[in-house]
């Protein structure tokens, strides 16, 4: 369902890669485009065509009220006063994913969740590629969704954040999932239920909803065609027999876990969700199995960064919320002691869920950054530092063979690093000095 934007006054809020993709799309649709960015010197301003008006440093309420359509960056909350004023005046407010969904004419697999969505999105895309399909992967990962329209694909695989889903109304996914729901972005949402409802929008008009049977927050009563994944009592489940584990689709063995490069229970759950999504979209089983065997995971997601002197250094910098750190710690096998690096910007989260997991004799916590003091209170075996580098300098003194050093900070990085990737790179560099 393509939409006409010709001669419509459209205000794009937010530059960067996503904002520029919106501008490019709307220009090709012959819209009358203006751009607003609340930053004084927004990234991407130099790439904006000179003839397009740009307002920086604030939200220009006059421009907003003169618009036929507002395309809002996922980084700006719809609850912002100026946006609410525009909505009250009857002006439509959407995001880039909504623009994409109005144009896309091929099947869409859609993935959201507090944790694991980048891994699942990438794995599903690899399954489709291995099955011989031309895959467009984007959204909250890789390239902006609208840029995918520049080429012809057989199928789209989209990672979608709660922020993106807030302003998406026309998504009709072939298969869609909310992998899990745990506290995140509590500085933007009223409470966990408010955040959950944003995630659940991914199921609207989906043909097959893939739910996590272990997490009741991932489902809702209005769903029709539901397929479940989980360790037990699910359509896609984990079978253990003679000390071997298998990915199962009901009674069919998909693959032995020993054949996968991904390890750990949380990754087996990610794999089950991926298989369910792919099969619901009729992706060939041969391609699914091939990708499961070859996919080695993503950088900064429970990645072995270094091993020396019998000590493993694991980079899980992408663990930017409590649920992700819980997933990393659950079922982690450690011969010696676990030296856990925690800290950063907790985004208003409640850290108390971690206390039970980390209060164990073999776990030592090294806390740093903006919310380091809160995290240090969770365990008696915690030390507090200003920076991650200071924490690592101290923990080196305590390492013995069989130990694990795990960066799984349960916080965003932006208090001290430009991104979680940079935080992971610094951790890896420091690890390799040992």
């Amino acid at each position: 369902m393509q939409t006409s934007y010709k001669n419509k006054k459209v205000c794009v809020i937010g530059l960067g890669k996503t904002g520029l993709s919106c501008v490019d799309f709307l220009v090709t649709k012959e819209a009358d485009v203006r751009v607003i960015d609340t930053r004084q010197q927004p990234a991407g301003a130099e790439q904006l065509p000179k003839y397009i008006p740009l307002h920086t440093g604030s939200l220009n309420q006059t421009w907003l009220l003169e618009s036929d359509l507002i395309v809002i960056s996922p980084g700006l909350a719809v609850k912002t006063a100026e946006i609410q004023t525009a909505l009250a005046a009857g002006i439509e407010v959407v995001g880039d994913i909504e623009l994409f969904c109005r144009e896309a004419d091929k099947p869409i697999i859609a993935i959201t969740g507090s944790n694991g969505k980048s891994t699942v999105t990438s794995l599903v895309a690899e399954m489709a590629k291995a099955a011989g399909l031309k895959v467009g992967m984007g959204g909250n990962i890789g390239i902006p969704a609208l840029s995918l329209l520049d080429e012809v694909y057989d199928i789209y695989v989209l990672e979608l954040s709660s922020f993106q889903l807030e302003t998406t109304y026309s998504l009709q996914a072939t298969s869609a999932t909310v992998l899990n729901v745990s506290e995140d972005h509590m500085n933007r949402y009223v409470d966990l239920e408010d955040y959950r409802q944003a995630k659940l929008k991914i199921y609207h008009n989906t043909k097959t909803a893939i739910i996590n049977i272990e997490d009741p927050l991932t489902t809702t009563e209005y769903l029709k065609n539901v397929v479940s994944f989980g360790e037990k009592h699910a359509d896609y489940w984990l079978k253990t027999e003679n000390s071997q584990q298998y990915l199962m689709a009901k009674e069919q063995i998909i693959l032995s876990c020993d054949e996968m490069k991904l390890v750990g229970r949380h990754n087996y759950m990610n794999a089950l969700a991926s298989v369910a999504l792919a099969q619901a979209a009729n992706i060939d089983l041969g391609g699914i199995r091939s990708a499961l065997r070859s996919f080695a995971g993503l950088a900064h997601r429970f990645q072995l960064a270094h091993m020396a002197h019998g000590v493993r250094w694991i980079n899980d910098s992408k663990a930017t919320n409590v649920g992700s750190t819980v997933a990393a710690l659950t079922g982690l096998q450690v011969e010696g002691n676990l030296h856990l690096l925690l800290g950063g910007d907790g985004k208003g989260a409640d850290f108390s869920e971690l206390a039970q997991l980390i209060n164990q004799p073999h776990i030592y916590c090294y806390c740093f950054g903006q919310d380091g003091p809160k995290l240090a209170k969770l365990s008696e075996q915690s030390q507090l530092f200003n920076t991650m580098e200071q924490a690592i300098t101290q923990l080196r003194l305590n390492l013995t063979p069989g130990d694990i050093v795990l960066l799984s900070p349960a916080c965003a990085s932006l208090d001290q690093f430009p991104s979680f990737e940079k935080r992971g790179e610094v951790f890896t560099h420091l690890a390799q000095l040992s």
Side-chain angles (χ1 to χ4, degrees), residues 295-416:
F295 185 71
L298 302 178
H300 312 292
R301 289 140 174 104
F302 210 79
Q303 178 187 40
L304 182 63
H306 186 58
M307 185 164 182
H309 314 298
V311 176
R312 286 185 289 162
W313 295 70
I314 298 175
N315 171 15
D316 194 31
S317 184
K318 183 62 172 68
T320 57
N321 57 46
V322 172
S324 192
T325 300
V326 169
L329 293 172
T330 303
L332 180 64
Q333 300 296 315
V334 189
E335 292 177 23
N337 293 317
L338 175 65
H339 303 271
L340 177 63
L341 289 156
L342 296 168
D345 176 6
K347 299 171 285 183
D350 178 1
F351 295 121
S352 59
E353 188 180 358
L354 287 171
Q356 183 179 344
L357 281 168
I358 64 177
N359 273 286
Q360 299 185 46
H362 70 291
I363 297 180
Y364 296 87
C365 298
Y366 304 80
C367 306
F368 61 91
Q370 178 178 307
D371 282 327
K374 291 181 184 177
L375 289 156
K377 292 177 182 177
L378 300 176
S379 163
E380 292 184 2
Q381 297 193 134
S382 291
Q383 296 181 61
L384 181 60
F385 304 88
N386 289 324
T387 67
M388 182 176 71
E389 184 172 3
Q390 291 170 355
I392 289 174
T393 298
Q394 178 60 39
L395 71 80
R396 280 186 201 284
L397 305 176
N398 305 322
L399 297 177
T400 57
D403 286 2
I404 290 177
V405 179
L406 172 62
L407 170 66
S408 189
C411 293
S413 60
L414 298 180
D415 61 326
Q416 294 186 335

Side-chain angles (χ1 to χ4, degrees), residues 226-244:
V226 176
V227 171
S228 61
F229 72 91
E231 186 166 354
K232 297 176 182 177
H233 311 301
D235 298 308
Y236 290 81
W237 58 289
L238 199 60
K239 182 178 182 178
T240 303
E241 188 173 86
N242 298 326
S243 300
Q244 294 285 320

